[in-house]
């Protein structure tokens, strides 16, 4: 692995965050959040597009957008955060194309997951990895 | 009520019936995660906007549940279909129980 200044900074930043936030079993919390949303149903792929920057300079505001043609609701999860939940979006009868953009906090380089519940009751997901240079500590 | 909370909304003034329009919303809010500590090592209590809704003439457009991982000054962009002239109503719910509301009119021609 090549070690450059940026990589060192990122490592330093995430270490600082780790000392601020006690480590928790994130994997189980993620599973819990997903199970709560899907009720244990199978999750397919396709039909949902999650757009994230490949590299986020500042983990405090990472612009993301998610679109899924027939979704009735979408959840966003950040697997490397102290708490994986990011947002739950429910679309009402007057919403147009089922898309939304927002800005989120990411503590370190990690995977962001979007899971959509489609109108026919099935689930689909998209996963993107975001490299974070300076973590949004405590977020 | 948290200090300095100010909602800002962009909705087109006019549209044709059945058109899809883009709405942008932003509310200035510090979105304190509850995970940070102050200089004395005390936890800063969580204070975020935990829910945001948008309705048009009483019908729901979006209803978003927010967690602490949403950035400071929560921003949302989404689309809506406007069947007739009316009013968009935007509501933000704060952890401390405050509710911030703002409305925007749109004319459908």
């Amino acid at each position: 692995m090549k070690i450059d200044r940026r990589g060192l900074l990122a490592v330093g930043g995430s270490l600082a965050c780790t000392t601020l936030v006690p480590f928790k079993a994130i994997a189980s919390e993620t599973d819990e959040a997903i199970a709560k949303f899907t009720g244990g149903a199978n999750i397919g792929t396709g039909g949902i597009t999650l757009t994230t920057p490949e590299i986020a300079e500042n983990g405090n505001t990472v612009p993301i957008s998610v679109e899924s043609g027939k979704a009735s609701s979408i959840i966003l999860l950040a697997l490397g955060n102290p708490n994986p939940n990011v947002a739950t979006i429910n679309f009402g009868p007057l919403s147009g194309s089922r898309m939304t953009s927002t800005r989120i906090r990411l503590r370190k380089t990690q995977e962001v997951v979007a899971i959509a519940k489609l109108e026919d009751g099935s689930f689909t997901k998209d996963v993107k990895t975001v490299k974070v240079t300076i973590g949004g500590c405590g977020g | 009520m948290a200090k300095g909370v100010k909602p800002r909304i962009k909705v087109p003034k006019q549209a044709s019936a059945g058109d899809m329009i883009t709405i942008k919303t932003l509310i200035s809010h510090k979105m304190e995660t509850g995970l940070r500590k102050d200089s004395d090592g005390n936890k800063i209590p969580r204070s975020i906007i935990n829910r945001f809704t948008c309705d048009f003439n009483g019908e729901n457009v979006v209803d978003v549940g927010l967690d602490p991982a949403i950035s400071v000054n929560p921003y949302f962009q989404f689309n809506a279909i406007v069947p007739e002239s009316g009013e968009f109503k935007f509501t933000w719910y704060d952890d401390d129980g405050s509710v911030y509301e703002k409305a925007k009119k749109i004319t459908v021609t």
Side-chain angles (χ1 to χ4, degrees):
Chain A
M1 196 182 119
K2 207 181 98 205
I3 297 172
D4 55 10
R5 185 172 161 272
R6 180 171 288 187
L8 273 178
L9 277 175
V11 170
S14 52
L15 278 181
C17 289
T18 319
T19 53
L20 279 175
V21 182
F23 180 75
K24 278 191 265 175
I26 289 156
S28 68
E29 271 188 50
T30 308
D31 292 344
E32 230 170 74
I34 293 175
K36 202 175 152 196
F37 183 69
T38 62
N42 280 339
I43 304 170
T45 49
I48 179 168
T49 314
L50 175 66
T51 312
T52 62
E54 207 168 299
I55 298 173
E57 296 270 327
N58 180 356
N60 267 317
T61 54
V62 183
I64 65 163
S65 78
V66 60
E67 176 163 19
S68 178
K70 291 176 195 134
S72 59
S73 58
I74 294 178
I75 57 164
L76 292 170
L77 301 167
L79 305 192
N81 274 5
N83 176 350
N85 292 310
V86 175
T88 313
I89 304 128
N90 297 304
F91 295 101
L94 284 181
S95 81
S97 71
R98 305 297 160 90
M99 71 76 66
T100 184
S101 332
T102 185
R103 297 171 188 150
I104 68 171
R105 287 177 175 137
L106 297 175
R107 184 172 64 154
K108 58 182 182 185
T109 298
Q110 59 179 282
E111 285 184 337
V112 178
V113 179
I115 303 175
K117 183 181 186 182
L118 305 183
E119 275 160 359
D120 61 10
S122 63
F123 294 90
T124 178
K125 76 168 176 179
D126 195 7
V127 181
K128 286 276 156 70
T129 303
V130 184
K131 286 181 183 160
V132 178
T133 316
I134 304 168
C137 284
Chain B
M1 184 163 170
K3 263 188 203 159
V5 176
K6 187 182 173 202
R8 278 163 241 201
I9 297 157
K10 218 165 202 179
V11 175
K13 286 195 178 70
Q14 283 187 356
S16 314
D19 259 10
M20 192 159 76
I21 60 161
T22 301
I23 298 173
K24 293 177 183 175
T25 70
L26 186 142
I27 186 163
S28 45
H29 194 282
K30 60 187 191 288
M31 295 294 276
E32 192 59 62
T33 60
L35 298 166
R36 295 200 309 150
K37 288 176 180 170
D38 63 17
S39 50
D40 301 326
N42 302 315
K43 266 200 172 178
I44 304 171
R46 180 182 129 153
S47 166
I48 65 165
I49 304 259
N50 56 43
R51 187 169 169 231
F52 162 66
T53 62
C54 171
D55 296 278
F56 181 71
N57 289 353
E59 273 215 80
N60 185 247
V61 180
V62 285
D63 184 338
V64 185
L66 287 75
D67 285 289
I70 295 290
S71 297
V72 74
N73 303 339
Y75 161 86
F76 282 98
Q77 183 192 330
F78 51 91
N79 297 319
I81 291 168
V82 279
E84 74 258 329
S85 295
E87 195 177 61
F88 281 102
K89 202 173 150 202
F90 303 88
T91 319
W92 290 264
Y93 299 85
D94 197 308
D95 264 356
D96 65 11
S98 322
V99 175
Y100 314 109
E101 285 181 333
K102 194 157 182 174
K104 281 271 178 182
K105 283 199 172 73
I106 184 166
T107 314
V108 170
T109 49

